[in-house]
Amino acid sequence: MNRRISTENIKWDRDSWFEEIMNQYGEKLMKLSYNYTKDWCLAEDIVQDVMVTCYKEYENLDKIVSFKAWIYRITINKCKDVLKSSIIKRVIADSNLLAFIKSSELTPEMTIMKRSEEEFLSACVLELSIKYREVITLFYYEELSIEEISEILKINPNTIKTRLSRARIKLKSLMERWR
């Protein structure tokens, strides 16, 4: 459903509007943020930051063409900003976590995740590079069209199609390797 949240149809005060935004988009934005950061705490921080931005932009709603695209774009940009930050790079670079993740043996956690197809698929999606993970997430999990994804990511629709195709191939390979 591509419903635009604004004050056009209903005269909502800022707080009621904001509550509706949190109800409608909160969980989706958390999942989207987690798919970028692979960290629930960071995802929560990002979504809170996005919600603060929404609250501040209440007066400018009429200028926003597609609210859904706008809020997803803000979330993606904030995720990318966090991933680029030097603190995140230092923590990841200094930890032995990467060696552990790259291990060819399945961890006990991965073995448990393997039991559920949905969790297994999610784990595989998280193994993809960000450019493939974001199109898979937006297309399959958020059920956005190629055109909507193109608008959100500011990328040519044909590039989105190519990335989706390559992501599917990589996912298939990952899933076969883990089985």
Side-chain angles (χ1 to χ4, degrees):
M1 180 163 84
N2 206 1
R3 188 174 120 198
R4 182 174 174 218
I5 302 289
S6 72
T7 55
E8 289 174 10
N9 301 329
I10 303 171
K11 287 291 182 193
W12 289 358
D13 62 44
R14 183 186 298 231
D15 292 335
S16 299
W17 172 82
F18 186 65
E19 188 174 331
E20 177 65 21
I21 294 301
M22 289 192 310
N23 290 336
Q24 188 171 349
Y25 291 100
E27 188 175 330
K28 291 178 181 181
L29 296 180
M30 274 296 295
K31 290 176 183 174
L32 179 63
S33 298
Y34 178 76
N35 277 318
Y36 272 89
T37 63
K38 298 181 186 182
D39 181 317
W40 284 111
C41 292
L42 280 177
E44 284 177 347
D45 291 345
I46 289 166
V47 172
Q48 285 178 356
D49 201 19
V50 169
M51 291 301 170
V52 167
T53 301
C54 288
Y55 193 80
K56 289 178 181 177
E57 291 297 319
Y58 175 78
E59 302 299 326
N60 299 320
L61 281 178
D62 348 4
K63 298 174 186 166
I64 300 170
V65 178
S66 168
F67 186 83
K68 186 175 186 177
W70 179 77
I71 197 167
Y72 277 58
R73 181 78 248 154
I74 290 172
T75 304
I76 289 168
N77 285 341
K78 288 189 183 296
C79 288
K80 288 180 178 180
D81 289 346
V82 165
L83 292 174
K84 286 181 203 172
S85 77
S86 61
I87 292 172
I88 297 295
K89 286 181 181 176
R90 275 197 305 264
V91 169
I92 290 174
D94 290 345
S95 100
N96 293 328
L97 184 61
L98 286 180
F100 185 72
I101 290 172
K102 298 292 182 191
S103 170
S104 60
E105 292 182 16
L106 290 178
T107 64
E109 292 82 11
M110 293 304 284
T111 304
I112 292 169
M113 286 177 63
K114 209 172 167 183
R115 291 182 191 149
S116 164
E117 282 300 312
E118 188 174 300
E119 289 176 355
F120 176 61
L121 178 60
S122 294
C124 290
V125 169
L126 289 174
E127 288 295 316
L128 295 173
S129 67
I130 193 72
K131 70 181 184 180
Y132 297 127
R133 197 167 60 228
E134 71 186 352
V135 293
I136 289 289
T137 300
L138 294 172
F139 189 77
Y140 289 106
Y141 291 92
E142 299 303 327
E143 299 177 350
L144 298 176
S145 68
I146 300 289
E147 292 74 27
E148 289 172 315
I149 297 170
S150 173
E151 181 183 333
I152 290 169
L153 298 179
K154 307 263 189 271
I155 297 174
N156 184 308
N158 289 331
T159 304
I160 301 296
K161 290 176 189 174
T162 301
R163 286 185 182 178
L164 270 172
S165 174
R166 290 179 182 165
R168 288 182 194 117
I169 291 167
K170 289 182 181 293
L171 264 177
K172 182 179 178 188
S173 172
L174 276 170
M175 293 176 81
E176 288 171 353
R177 186 179 76 206
W178 281 7
R179 291 203 184 247

